Every structure is written in C-alpha cells, then in structure tokens.
Amino acid sequence: MLDIAFVRPSLPKSGALVLLVHEGEKPSGVWQHADEATGGAIARALEVADFKGGKAKSVNILAPGAGLSRVIVIGLGKPAEVTGRGLNEAGGTALAAVSRDAAAAVATGTLTPHQAADVALGAVLRAYRFDRYRTKEKPEDKPKITKLSVLTSDAAKARSSWEGNKAVAEGVFLTRDLVSEPPNVLNPAEMAERCKKLTSLGLKVDVLGPKEMQKLGFGALLGVAQGSVNEARMVVMQWNGANGKGKAREKPVAFIGKGVTFDTGGISIKGAGGMEDMKWDMAGAGTVVGLMAALAGRKAKVDAVGLVGLVENMPSGTAQRPGDVVKSYSGQTIEVINTDAEGRLVLADVLWYAQEKFDPKFMVDLATLTGAIIVGLGHEFAGMFSNDDGLCQKLTAAGLETGEKVWRMPLDEEYDKQIRSEIADMKNIGGRAGGSITAAQFIQRFVNKKPWAHLDIAGMAWSTKDDPCTPKGATAFGVRLLNRLVAEHYEG
C-alpha cells in the first residue's frame, strides 16, 4: 500500500508538487510560495490554460524550476460543492499524475484535516496494483512512487481521520486481490482459508464444509458444486462491535455474497470467448470479505455478519443437469432449467441460513448475477432490487457519496409468474425477457419479507479502463458503498 505521510505545509525542495485549489481561489500558502520560487511559472501556465479551478480540471507544468520536477494544479470546484467523493477523485487524479516521480507532495490548501484524509484515500485506492505473478516487468513500466506527503494545517487530526480511511482501503485491496486471483489458485477451500486469516482483526470466522452443509440440507448450493473436484464451502464472519452484551445486543446487519470461484456454466456451458473473466464470478463474496475486514479494521461500532457461499461450477459426469430438481435449505424445491443460472441457487441457501441463524435487521446480497443487468445499466450503476424503500434510499445516497452508484429496478408479482415450474415450487430461470428481474424475483422467495436488497454487480465488479480511484481490473465495488451505509445509519 502507498505510504501516506501527513505533514505541515511547506514547499518541497524536490520532486513533484500537486496543488488542490477551489474555483476562484487566490494563491496563498504553498501555492503562492511555489509560484514565487519558480519565478511566476505557475501563474503564467494557469493563465495560458485559462484555468480557474473548475472541478476535475487540471494543468501539468513540467520542470517549472525551484528543483521541482513538475507542478500539477487540480481544480476542486466551488468550495460549497466539494464532496468526499470529489476529494477521493482529486487524490486519485493526483496519484496518477505523479506515479512516475520518486517523491511527491499534495498541498491541500484550505481543506480541513478530515478532507485531507479523504484526498489521501483516493490516492491510495488509485495506487493499487496486482503484480504478484509478473516476473519480467521492466523497471520503466513500474510506478516509482512509494510515498506521498499530504500537506495539511493539522497533521495530527488528519492522521486520526486517516486511520478509518486506511482500514477501508485495506478492505478494498483485500477484495481486489481476491477477485484478481486466477481460478487455479483461488478455489473455494483457498478462499475460505483466506477468510480465516481475518481472525487477526477480531472477526469470528466459521467455515462449513460439504458434510456440514449436506447435513443442514443445502441442496441448492451443493447442487451447483457437485460437478467440481473442488468442494464447496460456506464462510460465516461475525464482527461484534456494538456496545450491547448478551440479550441487550441489537440485531446484526447482514451481508451475503455469491462466491463462484470459477463459472464455466456447468452442463449449460458458456462460450469459450471471454470465459477467462469468470474467475471474478466470486466478486460478490469478495466484496463481503473486504467489507467485513474494513468494519473490523476501523473498529466499527456495529454488530455485523458476513456470509459467503463458495463453489466452483464445472461440467463433469457428476455435474448438475438441466431438468434436475433440488431441495433448498428452506425446504422449497427448484427445477434447474439452466445450470449457468447458478448464483441464485447459492444465494438461496445462504440467505435462508442468515435469517434463521442471525435474524438480522436487514440483508444485502451482492452477486455478479446476470448479463441482462449490463444490457440495462451498462457499467455505470449496479442494479438494486429491494422490498424496503428505506433501505433503498440509504443505499442510493451512499452510492452517490462514494461513487459506487446503484439504480433501483422493479419487482412485481407478474415477473414472478415467469419462474413457475410445472413440477417443482419454482424454476431457476424465467426466460430472456427481464432476466435480471426474474433472477431477483427468484432470490426474493428466500427472503421471508425480511428487509432486503439485492445488488447485481455484474457490470461493476471489473473495469476495462482506469477511473480516478480505480485502476483497470478488479474494482471492489460495494466495499465503500456498504461501509458508508453502516457508518451513517447503523453505528453508535
């Protein structure tokens, strides 16, 4: 992780300098000193570029003098309109601009220490790299920067704010690592072992294997896993950070993740083109793991439980067939029409178990569930389905604040008719029309009217382009979103 140092404002003697300025702001502090030290080079460059400090506008000034390799000026927009998300993005933009410099500093100007910590979070998130399998990378292809100095009026207060942000960043990085791992490395057993390491943060972690789940009656989940030599696991992670003890404790909040560590589609096999991407069909589970690490890492004052169902969906002589009927943990029976609609089968058993075991305040499940949601929403929003308006409003607001945006989709009894089976309680697909909706309707049958939201993150778990806070690759979508949800509404 990028090393962050919070220090009092002063003009660096070398390296790169980033200046964060508001729209219409006049030079002062480090900005003014840098301009004077460079003989007015900064002022001249900003005038030529017609830079006025507009949000996300920037100017890159190479070799301006005074020993500085470059000065990058980034606009924050109007002071009254600055948000935490905007500061994260400014920090990410700053890091991308100075990644080739050995040393760099960000002058936060009139920002508060807390806001300076938000800038640092964006920079750290952008600095992520997954390079553990690269053995011949050229030095010039690697970023040089390992430490970023953040100049702020009160370094001690900024460091205090940073502790919580750092824990969130570590949770994000854990998720990105899990989602990036190749499927020959990260199978259900290996992912469960990595979850067990979170006990070092104070989490209670329990792992259920095939025998335990068979005894419970997890027919839906185990049906998905039966074609693979890599056996299924379910991991239950508990964080007890609220103040209540024993009977005084409130109900926990619950997060459930689909963890298909590789998805061939099973007997209903996918096409070869792009199948390698199916290593990240466990991204929902990865997000839950990273979120639980973030909550524990920042000592969140909440009781939370995270459950992940981990399977590999493979074709073989023992694999589940189209036409099979399985009995879920709830007792409901499911006719399997398409073995590539497997994630909802995994969630069915885990959701029912979460309710029965923990009786949570609400449940949020995350899954790379359907290609249909990408057709509908592209790669800008996750699809959100819910039976609770209040939970939806909170998730929508948290999404706008963090940049991990969600868009509410409909649920209706008319869609439910599409998953009626002729021989069982339901079938696992409802046809092409409204595919993401009928998938959510299926999952809702295992919710028991408990406040619940289903996030279909198929279009959000992996990015093919760089964003201000997210280099291309695994995004860890949902970690910051759900951390914000908990922090704003369910702590204390």
Side-chain angles (χ1 to χ4, degrees), residues 335-357:
E335 182 184 10
V336 178
I337 303 299
N338 188 323
T339 64
D340 194 23
E342 83 299 329
R344 64 202 72 180
L345 300 175
V346 173
L347 291 173
D349 282 345
V350 181
L351 280 164
W352 198 273
Y353 182 88
Q355 297 165 74
E356 189 176 85
K357 182 78 172 179

Side-chain angles (χ1 to χ4, degrees), residues 50-72:
D50 195 28
F51 177 86
K52 294 181 173 60
K55 183 180 178 181
K57 302 294 183 182
S58 64
V59 176
N60 192 343
I61 309 163
L62 298 175
L68 297 172
S69 60
R70 72 182 72 219
V71 172
I72 302 100

Side-chain angles (χ1 to χ4, degrees), residues 271-291:
M275 192 191 286
E276 68 277 6
D277 290 344
M278 289 300 97
K279 71 176 187 177
W280 47 257
D281 207 22
M282 41 59 66
T287 292
V288 171
V289 175
L291 171 67

Side-chain angles (χ1 to χ4, degrees), residues 123-141:
V124 167
L125 292 175
R126 180 58 187 267
Y128 174 83
R129 296 183 88 230
F130 186 80
D131 56 5
R132 65 185 55 176
Y133 298 108
R134 296 177 180 176
T135 63
K136 296 182 178 181
E137 191 174 20
K138 297 179 180 179
E140 60 267 26
D141 292 333

Side-chain angles (χ1 to χ4, degrees), residues 175 179 256-259 278 280-288 347 364-374 377-385 395 404-407 436 443 453-463 474-479 481-482:
T175 298
V179 176
I256 295 92
K258 168 192 171 183
M278 289 300 97
W280 47 257
D281 207 22
M282 41 59 66
T287 292
V288 171
L347 291 173
V364 176
D365 78 73
L366 302 98
T368 49
L369 206 69
T370 67
I373 202 67
I374 304 175
L377 298 177
H379 300 279
E380 302 301 324
F381 289 81
M384 175 174 62
F385 302 80
L395 282 165
E404 295 187 337
K405 299 177 291 185
V406 295
W407 191 269
S436 60
I443 295 169
H454 158 60
L455 303 183
D456 191 336
I457 63 171
M460 309 306 295
W462 192 271
S463 179
T475 65
F477 181 95
V479 174
L481 166 73
L482 297 175

Side-chain angles (χ1 to χ4, degrees), residues 446-461:
F446 301 88
V447 170
N448 267 334
K449 298 184 178 180
K450 176 72 68 177
W452 154 81
H454 158 60
L455 303 183
D456 191 336
I457 63 171
M460 309 306 295

